[in-house]
Amino acid sequence: MPFQEDISSDQRGNSGIPILYEDNHLLGIVKPVNMLSQEDASGDPDLLTVLKADLKERYQKPGNVYLGLVHRLDRPVGGAMIFAKTSKAASRLSEAVRSRSFSKIYLAVAHGVPTRSTGRLEDLLLKDERTNTVKVVPRGTPGGKQAILDYRVLGEPVNGLSLIQVELLTGRSHQIRVQLSHLGCPLYGDQKYGAQLNKPGQQIALWSAHVGFPHPVTKEHVSLLSLPPQEHPWSSWPRTLYEQALRSF
């Protein structure tokens, strides 16, 4: 599926959320930054609730609308995201996630330059539920969970910043943010794991660029692609570089 940088109004639904893909089984969208994936104790608007209301209105559905959350993005992160419109699709997509036939690739802007231009990071992560923070811990630490990602530096560093492509092989909380920070390259704008380099109010530069999976019914491969916004720090690199990266997914 080709990426669409400009999305017309009829591809946004009534909610204003950009729609990348939709059929009877799936809904693929571009998550806005700083929006919750699902409801939490804050009571702030969340994507799942907004999309359910949009489906109910667009299709004039009576009663409750089913929409299954297959994967999550951290609140400050935007980009491609897939939802299931039936319980069968949700179950099959969840199985794709477990079997690792569900691919998730992100773009990130990080402070510093990794020593190696490509590599795999394997760490043990431990989450502190009280502070909602995650840290890398030694092997054998009780409660620690394995975290694996592959990364590739795209283009040349600009003003001490690197553009990095990341493929998640596991789905741990705050995984990319923690592992890149542990590598010595905290994300631009990340107040939680790079406060010493970032200023309050900066938007974290992490974007869900690609979500790929076998269609739960047809089994054909579905690829959702999304480009980050053309604003700082993303605008430090030419748009063609992003387009070339997405074509390789």
Side-chain angles (χ1 to χ4, degrees):
M1 178 181 174
F3 64 82
Q4 296 172 314
E5 187 169 359
D6 297 311
I7 299 174
S8 61
S9 58
D10 61 346
Q11 292 173 292
R12 290 182 179 268
N14 299 330
S15 67
I17 303 295
I19 297 173
L20 295 174
Y21 180 96
E22 185 174 12
D23 62 17
N24 291 334
H25 313 280
L26 304 171
L27 177 63
I29 56 87
V30 179
K31 176 188 175 293
V33 297
N34 299 324
M35 188 175 196
L36 294 167
S37 291
Q38 65 181 134
E39 185 179 10
D40 71 1
S42 71
D44 293 338
D46 69 280
L47 193 56
L48 186 60
T49 300
V50 168
L51 291 176
K52 280 183 177 181
D54 179 56
L55 289 173
K56 184 178 179 65
E57 182 179 352
R58 281 198 288 134
Y59 296 106
Q60 299 181 341
K61 288 180 173 288
N64 293 327
V65 172
Y66 180 87
L67 194 64
L69 186 69
V70 179
H71 64 119
R72 296 171 178 80
L73 294 178
D74 288 350
R75 182 171 184 154
V77 181
M81 197 170 176
I82 189 70
F83 290 82
K85 293 171 70 175
T86 68
S87 57
K88 179 184 288 187
S91 176
R92 291 179 178 176
L93 286 179
S94 294
E95 177 55 35
V97 172
R98 287 190 292 271
S99 65
R100 295 189 180 178
S101 57
F102 188 103
S103 62
K104 293 179 285 186
I105 299 178
Y106 295 75
L107 295 173
V109 177
H111 292 279
V113 184
T115 304
R116 297 169 55 196
S117 60
T118 63
R120 171 168 291 187
L121 303 181
E122 298 187 51
D123 297 297
L124 199 67
L125 303 185
L126 183 65
K127 184 173 184 178
D128 185 333
E129 297 291 348
R130 183 180 57 84
T131 60
N132 191 33
T133 56
V134 180
K135 62 181 178 181
V136 174
V137 294
R139 298 291 174 185
T141 300
K145 295 183 177 180
Q146 184 186 43
I148 307 172
L149 64 77
D150 289 337
Y151 74 87
R152 178 166 68 99
V153 178
L154 302 175
E156 295 294 326
V158 177
N159 297 325
L161 298 174
S162 296
L163 178 62
I164 302 176
Q165 174 185 310
V166 176
E167 180 173 9
L168 276 183
L169 302 180
T170 56
R172 308 304 180 196
S173 180
H174 299 177
Q175 181 178 338
I176 296 173
R177 300 162 65 182
V178 175
Q179 287 193 277
L180 287 183
S181 179
H182 185 68
L183 184 66
C185 298
L187 296 190
Y188 176 93
D190 192 346
Q191 306 301 318
K192 187 166 287 190
Y193 302 105
Q196 71 278 14
L197 293 172
N198 294 308
K199 299 177 182 178
Q202 287 180 330
Q203 178 64 46
I204 190 170
L206 182 60
W207 192 262
S208 174
H210 165 82
V211 177
F213 51 88
H215 192 284
V217 176
T218 68
K219 308 305 179 186
E220 294 180 349
H221 185 75
V222 177
S223 184
L224 306 183
L225 302 174
S226 177
L227 290 167
Q230 298 186 57
E231 57 189 41
H232 185 75
W234 302 108
S235 56
S236 300
W237 292 269
R239 205 65 173 170
T240 52
L241 181 63
Y242 294 97
E243 294 172 355
Q244 290 169 1
L246 264 64
R247 289 193 183 99
S248 69
F249 297 163

